[in-house]
């Protein structure tokens, strides 16, 4: 299986934007049917952000209180073996380490937000939203 490598994190002011990338190193994203982004703030549990099913390019977003839907967009570029998370309108509460995750099979909708269902993980990239 390919290794997952995240990049694109950094420090940004509230209201700013970042684009995170998850690249497949040593292989292709073709090994994975479901790709997801999760985040974990200091002292908190890992939280689902977004997922994409590569076969049909269907996407799924967190529907939590601090919803990312409408602000974040997940996409995949199979030619570049990369999955992206475009983040706009960033808020201080978006501060966290963001992780890319993958599963070999297409996860049912009710499982896509469960981090325990994902078998492969990147090392994470820090996103800090602060003025």
């Amino acid at each position: 299986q390919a290794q997952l490598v995240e990049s694109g994190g950094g420090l940004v002011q509230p209201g700013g934007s970042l684009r995170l990338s998850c690249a497949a190193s040593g292989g292709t994203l073709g090994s994975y049917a479901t790709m997801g982004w999760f985040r974990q703030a200091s002292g908190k549990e890992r939280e689902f952000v977004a997922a994409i099913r590569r076969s049909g390019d269907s996407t799924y977003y967190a529907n939590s209180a601090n919803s990312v839907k409408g602000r974040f967009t997940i996409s995949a570029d199979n030619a570049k073996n990369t999955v992206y998370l475009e983040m706009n309108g960033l808020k201080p509460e978006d501060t966290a380490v963001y992780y890319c995750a993958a599963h070999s099979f297409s996860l049912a909708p009710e499982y896509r937000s469960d981090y325990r269902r994902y078998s492969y993980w990147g090392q994470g990239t820090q996103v800090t939203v602060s003025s």
Side-chain angles (χ1 to χ4, degrees), residues 20-123:
L20 304 183
S21 299
C22 175
S25 175
T28 72
L29 291 183
S31 302
Y32 309 118
T34 304
M35 304 289 298
W37 284 98
F38 290 79
R39 66 187 181 186
Q40 188 165 18
S42 180
K44 295 188 177 181
E45 289 190 359
R46 192 161 296 192
E47 176 185 37
F48 172 71
V49 175
I52 185 168
R53 192 178 65 179
R54 293 182 54 254
S55 61
D57 262 358
S58 61
T59 57
Y60 184 66
Y61 295 91
N63 199 25
S64 59
N66 180 27
S67 179
V68 302
K69 198 169 185 178
R71 298 190 295 125
F72 292 8
T73 302
I74 188 172
S75 62
D77 186 333
N78 294 334
K80 295 184 178 180
N81 282 321
T82 303
V83 171
Y84 300 100
L85 184 68
E86 186 78 35
M87 306 186 294
N88 299 310
L90 283 163
K91 306 174 183 180
E93 50 264 44
D94 293 319
T95 295
V97 177
Y98 283 70
Y99 296 92
C100 177
H103 195 282
S104 300
F105 303 107
S106 182
L107 293 173
E110 60 267 33
Y111 296 141
R112 289 173 198 163
S113 61
D114 185 350
Y115 70 89
R116 296 167 296 182
R117 298 286 178 171
Y118 290 77
S119 305
Y120 306 98
W121 291 85
Q123 82 289 349

Side-chain angles (χ1 to χ4, degrees), residues 9-27:
L11 173 63
V12 63
Q13 292 187 343
S17 299
L18 282 174
R19 187 176 76 162
L20 304 183
S21 299
C22 175
S25 175

